[in-house]
């Protein structure tokens, strides 16, 4: 079952810690090393134990690694890639787990030495929690991981695909530009809308904080769950995928204006048809196994 003898995780938050747990559970890596910029994060990772060794420098962590995973915010990946480049093992594979791909390729690609394979990736999995204590082995089970075929050699691509499948993920391959548009629709813009709705509630001075908390229905609770995600990560995502996000926001505004008009003119037929059509998308997501019909959407299922 072992796919890589030595895997280095750089950045020890939710995704990296979950990868560590999943690889250990399935025996996919002979040794797992880790590095994080914060000493407190490194100490926490040592206590949790999803890495065999946690180092104080990225150079130490990547030494001899067959796979290096960049699991830091998108805005920090270029600097990290430059720092580890002289220490990468010839023939190694470097991948990432960032939510934006074109910007990562631009930032990381120039620093990858000849003879080292760079295969960008993105697991579509997560929770509102962050940090090394938040990871769990089943985070990727039946979730998608998208790999970017940027002229990758077949053997390194096959090994990386096998790793993600071994951690329970479904794997698909696409180009970077298409990835960024898809994620703008299914993740980035919904997060921005959630942040905005929570901000609106905060600024409605007629409603006290206690009432917002006391009377929050499931819709607002879901907004707050999404808006609880890491601010640094989402700042970088919006700045690095701004073209796709702005395009989708424009389309969203057009749809919103049409709904405003229907409400203003009491066009119930338009509203009912629109809600019926969009409701079908929710059912399709459940049928595809990407969520459940449970009242809490399965989010309270024990880890």
């Amino acid at each position: 079952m072992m796919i890589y003898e030595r895997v280095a995780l750089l950045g020890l938050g939710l995704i990296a810690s979950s990868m560590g747990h999943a690889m250990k559970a399935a025996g996919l890596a002979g040794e797992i090393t880790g590095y994080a910029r914060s000493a407190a994060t490194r100490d926490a990772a040592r206590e949790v134990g999803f890495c065999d060794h946690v180092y104080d420098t990225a150079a130490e962590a990547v030494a001899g690694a067959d796979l290096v995973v960049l699991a830091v915010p998108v805005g920090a990946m270029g600097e990290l890639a430059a720092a580890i480049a002289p220490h990468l093992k010839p023939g190694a594979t470097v991948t990432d787990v960032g939510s934006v791909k074109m910007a990562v390729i631009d930032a990381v690609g120039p620093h990858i030495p000849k003879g080292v394979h760079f295969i960008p990736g993105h697991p579509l999995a997560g929770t509102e929690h962050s940090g090394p204590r938040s990871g769990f082995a089943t985070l990727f089970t039946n979730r998608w991981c998208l790999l970017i075929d940027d002229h990758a050699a077949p053997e390194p691509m096959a090994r990386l695909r096998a790793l993600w499948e071994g951690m329970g993920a479904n794997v698909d391959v696409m180009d970077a530009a298409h990835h960024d548009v898809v994620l703008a629709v299914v993740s980035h813009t919904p997060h921005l809308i959630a942040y905005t709705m929570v901000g609106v509630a905060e600024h409605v001075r007629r409603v006290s904080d206690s009432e917002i908390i006391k009377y929050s229905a499931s819709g607002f609770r879901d907004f707050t769950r999404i808006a609880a995600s890491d601010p640094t990560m989402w700042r970088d995502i919006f700045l690095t995928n701004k073209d796709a996000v702005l395009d989708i926001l424009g389309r969203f505004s057009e749809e919103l204006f049409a709904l405003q008009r229907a409400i203003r003119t009491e066009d119930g037929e338009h509203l009912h048809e629109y809600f019926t059509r969009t409701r079908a998308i929710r059912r399709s997501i459940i049928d595809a196994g990407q969520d459940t019909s449970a009242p809490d959407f399965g989010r309270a299922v024990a880890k």
Side-chain angles (χ1 to χ4, degrees), residues 99-100 180 183-184 186-192 234 237-238 241 245:
S99 188
V100 179
D180 287 358
L183 267 295
V186 302
S187 177
H188 302 167
T189 304
H191 274 80
L192 190 63
W234 282 101
I237 287 171
F238 291 126
N241 198 27
V245 170

Side-chain angles (χ1 to χ4, degrees), residues 49-74:
F50 58 85
C51 289
D52 297 300
H53 303 283
V54 177
Y55 293 98
D56 293 338
T57 69
E60 292 176 291
V62 305
D66 303 291
L67 176 69
V68 175
V69 182
L70 307 180
V72 298
V74 172

Side-chain angles (χ1 to χ4, degrees), residues 185-260:
V185 174
V186 302
S187 177
H188 302 167
T189 304
H191 274 80
L192 190 63
I193 293 168
Y195 278 114
T196 304
M197 192 61 229
V198 175
V200 168
E202 180 188 9
H203 287 94
V204 178
R205 300 302 185 184
R206 293 175 301 168
V207 181
S208 73
D209 289 343
S210 62
E211 287 174 319
I212 291 174
I213 295 171
K214 181 177 180 179
Y215 300 123
S216 289
S218 60
F220 188 73
R221 285 202 307 269
D222 285 343
F223 276 135
T224 60
R225 180 189 64 83
I226 296 173
S229 302
D230 181 65
T232 300
M233 178 184 75
W234 282 101
R235 176 202 65 193
D236 289 354
I237 287 171
F238 291 126
L239 293 179
T240 53
N241 198 27
K242 64 179 183 180
D243 291 340
V245 170
L246 289 173
D247 177 58
I248 300 304
L249 275 176
R251 296 168 187 256
F252 172 79
S253 297
E254 293 173 3
E255 296 282 304
L256 186 60
F257 289 148
L259 290 175
Q260 286 177 314

Side-chain angles (χ1 to χ4, degrees), residues 85-122:
H87 310 284
L88 294 172
K89 174 183 175 180
T93 295
V94 175
T95 189
D96 78 292
V97 295
S99 188
V100 179
K101 294 278 73 84
M102 291 185 68
V104 167
I105 291 171
D106 291 342
V108 174
H111 301 295
I112 301 299
K114 185 177 180 179
V116 173
H117 308 282
F118 177 42
I119 306 176
H122 179 204

Side-chain angles (χ1 to χ4, degrees), residues 14-15 122-127 139-141 143-144:
L14 169 67
I15 298 298
H122 179 204
L124 306 187
T127 72
L139 177 65
F140 310 112
T141 300
R143 296 294 177 244
W144 285 97

